[in-house]
Amino acid sequence: MATQTTATCTGSALLQPISEIINLPLDQVNFVACQLFALLMAVWFRLYLHPSKTSPFIRHVVATLLGFYLALFCFGWYSLHFLVQSGLSYSVMIFVGLEHMHKYCFMVTLSYLILCQVTRVYVFDYGMYSADFTGPMMVITQKITSLAFEIHDGLTKRDGQLTPTQQYLAVRRMPSLLEYLSYNCNFMGILAGPTCSYNDYMAFIDGTGYQPRHHENANGKENGKYKQSEPSPKNDVISKLFTCAVSLGIYLSLCNLVPVETSIDDHFVSSTPFYLQVIYLYLAMLALRPKYYFVWTLADAINNAAGFGFNGYNKDGSPRWDLVSNLRILDIEFATSFKSFLDNWNIQTALWLKRVCYERCAINPTAATFLLSAMWHGVYPGYYLTFLTGIAMTMAARAVRHNIRPYFLGSDSYKCIYDVITWAWTQIAISYTVAPFVLLAVGRSLKFYRSWYYCLHLLCLLVVLVLPVRSRCRPAKEPQDCLQDNQTTHHNSTDNNCNQKDKAT
């Protein structure tokens, strides 16, 4: 009941009557109300604080103050943690040398997040699966650590040492305190994100997000200003709000009909055939996903309404507003591989994990990435069981795809059969893997796996042992690195020839 959870809400009690009427916890009512308010402010921000009408300074100040207000309304004094985490990390950026700044910043930011998660879970309200102040801190952690690595890349490395993506993301100067706080705590992403790159956010504030970063003539000289009309996000915002309404309706209709907890009920396990338990688990997980669809799609719509998220044009000339989109619903529901599902789920978090961990970890990057993901999500044991299982699932799926898939590519009918089988397998594997993530406690999670006889764990182990897995060695150098090395070699040989001529003279 809503009245039972009021005491655990540290935010404003202004909407308590609405919470009691609709029978939802007050913190969730505050969250949705603040996001709807942020949507209205986003429209106002784009129309009345457009870059052509006001300065970047004013846009930074307004975006930051609105963000702090929303955080205070939702979380009360707990929102001070956002400032403390941001302040500690900014101090590290300023006072620690650039060579190691990104490492210390990563450790300080992640450690503070974990400390807050530990106190919230084990001191205050274990198992309270609702809106809490560590959710925004998770997004702020992504932004701070991403920015730290981008500053390190931009100020300590040459372009030849960076991949094309790292060159695009590299930050070439230290942000001011206002720019830093605006990036971390702006009203568009303070409650539900999604994360974004610092350069993209600054382009949005400056009004250059609709222009290409680099435009050259055929002779290699840059044109002057690149003029193009500013696309409107109206259609995309309306479409995403419709998706939000449908997702919310589906979630509220189904979430209580097929609870995941039933899958570990003793009577259900003993009296239900195993194939029906599999179907039930799939339906239970299917009923949970619309909650995330609602939250992330609404957050995407808020950013778009403010004018942030433009990502070029489609082939038909229509604008794309998916720069900070966090999911692709159809690709998730019809994914035919474990990797495809993960690539389209929580996209910005997957990009963050890739950029700060997978691409930079020299030893077993897959395991390190899953471990970081578990630590970032929280301290519930179920999270770690999920991501440990995810490592086994990823390795087994990779082995199957490399060894079995080529045999089904000979004809369209075979490929269709393969897609149907792999779709069913992917949905079952995802549901099996994510169950501890929802059950949270280690006892309930292990009880679920025991009821399934750890069958998918054993199957993954068998697949990995039997089927050979190709090594995933990354190329030692980018092509442009090789080109630069060749130029350097040529330059050195030329210098040597000149020195020999000087000696002869």
Side-chain angles (χ1 to χ4, degrees):
M1 295 293 291
T3 56
Q4 294 174 333
T5 60
T6 303
T8 64
C9 180
T10 60
S12 172
L14 180 65
L15 302 178
Q16 175 63 34
I18 299 178
S19 172
E20 295 174 350
I21 292 173
I22 63 178
N23 195 29
L24 283 177
L26 179 58
D27 54 356
Q28 294 183 9
V29 173
N30 284 348
F31 173 83
V32 174
C34 283
Q35 286 294 77
L36 294 178
F37 176 76
L39 179 65
L40 296 177
M41 289 297 98
V43 176
W44 172 81
F45 192 83
R46 181 172 63 88
L47 295 179
Y48 295 98
L49 291 183
H50 192 273
S52 63
K53 300 178 181 179
T54 187
S55 65
F57 175 81
I58 298 298
R59 285 167 62 83
H60 278 305
V61 169
V62 173
T64 306
L65 292 179
L66 284 174
F68 286 151
Y69 172 76
L70 295 179
L72 194 63
F73 188 92
C74 272
F75 307 108
W77 69 269
Y78 280 105
S79 57
L80 291 177
H81 287 292
F82 308 162
L83 286 177
V84 174
Q85 185 186 33
S86 299
L88 288 174
S89 302
Y90 192 72
S91 300
V92 172
M93 291 181 184
I94 295 298
F95 296 110
V96 176
L98 291 173
E99 191 65 31
H100 302 288
M101 172 268 294
H102 59 301
K103 299 177 184 177
Y104 291 118
C105 194
F106 180 87
M107 290 188 291
V108 169
T109 306
L110 188 62
S111 298
Y112 192 83
L113 172 66
I114 294 175
L115 176 64
C116 290
Q117 290 172 332
V118 169
T119 56
R120 184 191 70 81
V121 170
Y122 294 106
V123 177
F124 296 110
D125 54 357
Y126 185 91
M128 188 63 187
Y129 204 72
S130 183
D132 67 89
F133 73 98
T134 59
M137 289 184 66
M138 293 165 69
V139 179
I140 294 175
T141 298
Q142 290 182 344
K143 291 184 176 181
I144 292 174
T145 52
S146 296
L147 178 59
F149 278 93
E150 290 161 6
I151 293 174
H152 174 74
D153 290 342
L155 297 182
T156 65
K157 295 183 178 180
R158 297 171 298 173
D159 286 346
Q161 299 175 289
L162 304 175
T163 65
T165 300
Q166 291 170 346
Q167 291 181 34
Y168 171 78
L169 298 174
V171 177
R172 306 297 179 178
R173 68 172 180 85
M174 187 67 67
S176 68
L177 181 59
L178 176 61
E179 293 170 339
Y180 175 79
L181 291 177
S182 175
Y183 171 61
N184 287 335
C185 303
N186 64 81
F187 74 97
M188 302 173 298
I190 183 66
L191 298 183
T195 189
C196 61
S197 77
Y198 177 80
N199 284 340
D200 287 334
Y201 180 75
M202 291 301 295
F204 156 72
I205 291 293
D206 296 336
T208 59
Y210 303 109
Q211 302 174 3
R213 293 296 180 89
H214 188 68
H215 189 71
E216 294 183 348
N217 287 322
N219 59 8
K221 295 182 179 179
E222 294 204 10
N223 290 328
K225 284 190 176 180
Y226 185 88
K227 297 181 179 179
Q228 70 179 42
S229 60
E230 181 177 319
S232 172
K234 181 179 68 173
N235 293 336
D236 287 80
V237 171
I238 293 174
S239 173
K240 290 172 183 178
L241 291 179
F242 177 76
T243 301
C244 289
V246 173
S247 299
L248 183 61
I250 294 175
Y251 172 70
L252 294 177
S253 302
L254 299 180
C255 63
N256 294 324
L257 295 179
V258 280
V260 179
E261 290 75 13
T262 302
S263 62
I264 59 173
D265 179 75
D266 292 334
H267 176 72
F268 175 82
V269 172
S270 61
S271 61
T272 306
F274 184 72
Y275 75 93
L276 290 181
Q277 294 184 40
V278 173
I279 296 175
Y280 181 88
L281 180 66
Y282 166 70
L283 294 177
M285 293 301 175
L286 184 65
L288 277 180
R289 288 199 284 268
K291 175 176 67 174
Y292 298 95
Y293 296 165
F294 167 76
V295 173
W296 288 337
T297 306
L298 180 57
D300 193 13
I302 293 171
N303 282 270
N304 293 167
F308 185 35
F310 176 69
N311 197 23
Y313 292 89
N314 295 307
K315 292 181 179 180
D316 60 359
S318 60
R320 291 176 53 192
W321 288 89
D322 59 353
L323 180 65
V324 292
S325 294
N326 226 1
L327 50 81
R328 303 183 187 96
I329 296 177
L330 293 180
D331 291 335
I332 290 171
E333 298 300 339
F334 295 100
T336 58
S337 70
F338 201 84
K339 180 181 183 300
S340 176
F341 188 101
L342 297 180
D343 286 344
N344 294 288
W345 173 269
N346 207 350
I347 296 171
Q348 302 305 322
T349 295
L351 289 175
W352 170 70
L353 291 169
K354 175 185 176 184
R355 292 166 181 170
V356 305
C357 183
Y358 188 83
E359 293 181 343
R360 301 175 190 267
C361 184
I363 302 174
N364 204 340
T366 299
T369 302
F370 275 106
L371 177 60
L372 173 59
S373 183
M375 295 172 63
W376 174 79
H377 274 90
V379 294
Y380 288 113
Y383 294 165
Y384 292 84
L385 288 175
T386 286
F387 291 108
L388 287 174
T389 304
I391 297 174
M393 292 290 179
T394 300
M395 296 176 63
R398 186 181 299 164
V400 170
R401 187 172 182 85
H402 286 168
N403 291 276
I404 296 179
R405 184 172 181 267
Y407 294 102
F408 289 85
L409 300 180
S411 66
D412 293 338
S413 58
Y414 284 178
K415 186 177 184 302
C416 182
I417 294 174
Y418 177 84
D419 289 341
V420 171
I421 295 174
T422 52
W423 171 83
W425 159 256
T426 299
Q427 299 303 321
I428 295 173
I430 287 291
S431 301
Y432 179 88
T433 302
V434 175
F437 194 95
V438 179
L439 297 172
L440 299 179
V442 63
R444 298 199 301 173
S445 300
L446 294 179
K447 182 179 181 181
F448 166 76
Y449 280 147
R450 283 196 301 270
S451 69
W452 281 54
Y453 305 103
Y454 296 93
C455 60
L456 295 193
H457 286 90
L458 298 176
L459 181 60
C460 288
L461 179 62
L462 180 63
V463 168
V464 171
L465 292 177
V466 172
L467 298 179
V469 181
R470 298 178 186 175
S471 62
R472 297 177 62 86
C473 298
R474 300 178 215 153
K477 295 183 180 181
E478 296 286 329
Q480 59 182 4
D481 296 346
C482 298
L483 177 61
Q484 182 179 9
D485 289 347
N486 291 337
Q487 292 175 345
T488 304
T489 303
H490 175 71
H491 178 70
N492 292 338
S493 62
T494 303
D495 288 344
N496 292 336
N497 291 337
C498 293
N499 291 336
Q500 291 175 1
K501 289 181 180 179
D502 290 341
K503 290 180 180 178
T505 303

